[in-house]
Amino acid sequence: NAGVTQTPKFQVLKTGQSMTLQCAQDMNHEYMSWYRQDPGMGLRLIHYSVGAGITDQGEVPNGYNVSRSTTEDFPLRLLSAAPSQTSVYFCASSPQGLALDTQYFGPGTRLTVL
Amino acid sequence: AQSVTQLGSHVSVSEGALVLLRCNYSSSVPPYLFWYVQYPNQGLQLLLKYTSAATLVKGINGFEAEFKKSETSFHLTKPSAHMSDAAEYFCAVSGLTGNQFYFGTGTSLTVIP
């Protein structure tokens, strides 16, 4: 099993550009989530999904869109990048809900917005 | 909202010494609590979790944590630090609805040879 994979590893954008961060898992997990990690702030939940076709907002959803068309994939879209979105982004999956179960994290995407 | 507070953003211990990383939570009901570890340039991995069973929870790599409701604490300990324990440690709590998750700000552990 590859676990949770994320692409790209690094990305530099200009303000206003759009892009999609990819996340895939091969563990048949129902739950997937996106976090951003900023210095001194820990990780904050952006969006999560409890299954294909079902998504919901986390703590810091503004500026990000998600969709979940398959169990395996959970892309994160930035429609118009802003410097405040410079961060490291982690995708995670878990067999059951966030409350009870282990989350398995991808290696992260380091995004810089100029 | 649920939250966790990690006291000390940086902790240094000598190799072989006790590791104590502090975490306090705010919650009106006993929550589910977690400790995750992040090694440099990697994602996070679960160390241990408390889900209202035994109050003393044992995790991987010799770490353990004790849930103390009276102190609203969930401190992480390890009797003897190894060089390989150098990493960033995050305490986390789940939301009451079960689908929200809140991390602390993290504690960076340095192990001095």
Side-chain angles (χ1 to χ4, degrees):
Chain A
N1 284 352
V4 180
T5 58
Q6 292 183 239
T7 57
K9 289 188 186 302
F10 302 94
Q11 183 71 47
V12 179
L13 292 178
K14 294 181 180 179
T15 297
Q17 286 185 316
S18 63
M19 80 159 297
T20 299
L21 307 185
Q22 301 292 345
C23 173
Q25 53 92 8
D26 61 358
M27 298 174 282
N28 202 33
H29 287 171
E30 288 297 322
Y31 285 75
M32 297 186 73
S33 50
W34 276 102
Y35 294 88
R36 59 178 289 172
Q37 182 178 26
D38 301 294
M41 301 189 73
L43 283 80
R44 291 177 292 169
L45 183 64
I46 304 171
H47 285 285
Y48 64 94
S49 169
V50 301
I54 307 169
T55 64
D56 207 344
Q57 296 180 352
E59 187 181 358
V60 288
N62 292 341
Y64 307 94
N65 281 351
V66 293
S67 60
R68 184 100 178 269
S69 56
T70 67
T71 299
E72 295 77 21
D73 300 299
F74 190 43
L76 179 72
R77 280 182 286 277
L78 285 70
L79 297 180
S80 178
S84 60
Q85 294 179 304
T86 293
S87 187
V88 181
Y89 291 85
F90 289 98
C91 178
S93 73
S94 59
Q96 300 179 55
L98 301 179
L100 291 175
D101 223 333
T102 301
Q103 293 185 73
Y104 297 85
F105 284 81
T109 294
R110 187 175 295 273
L111 175 68
T112 301
V113 182
L114 302 175
Chain B
Q2 300 270 25
S3 69
V4 289
T5 302
Q6 291 184 242
L7 297 175
S9 57
H10 297 275
V11 171
S12 294
V13 299
S14 298
E15 192 174 14
L18 171 72
V19 176
L20 171 60
L21 304 182
R22 299 178 187 273
C23 173
N24 289 87
Y25 66 91
S26 65
S27 173
S28 59
V29 298
Y32 298 128
L33 291 157
F34 304 76
W35 276 99
Y36 278 84
V37 61
Q38 184 180 32
Y39 297 104
N41 299 313
Q42 295 186 26
L44 282 72
Q45 64 182 84
L46 182 70
L47 271 180
L48 50 82
K49 61 184 177 183
Y50 167 76
T51 56
S52 72
T55 57
L56 182 62
V57 182
K58 294 187 183 300
I60 62 171
N61 301 338
F63 284 93
E64 62 182 37
E66 186 173 6
F67 173 73
K68 290 187 176 180
K69 183 179 178 182
S70 61
E71 299 176 8
T72 61
S73 68
F74 190 57
H75 302 331
L76 182 71
T77 60
K78 182 174 180 177
S80 176
H82 295 164
M83 295 299 295
S84 60
D85 294 328
E88 184 133 22
Y89 292 80
F90 293 93
C91 183
V93 63
S94 64
L96 292 175
T97 61
N99 284 324
Q100 294 286 338
F101 208 76
Y102 302 95
F103 282 92
T105 52
T107 296
S108 178
L109 176 67
T110 299
V111 182
I112 303 166

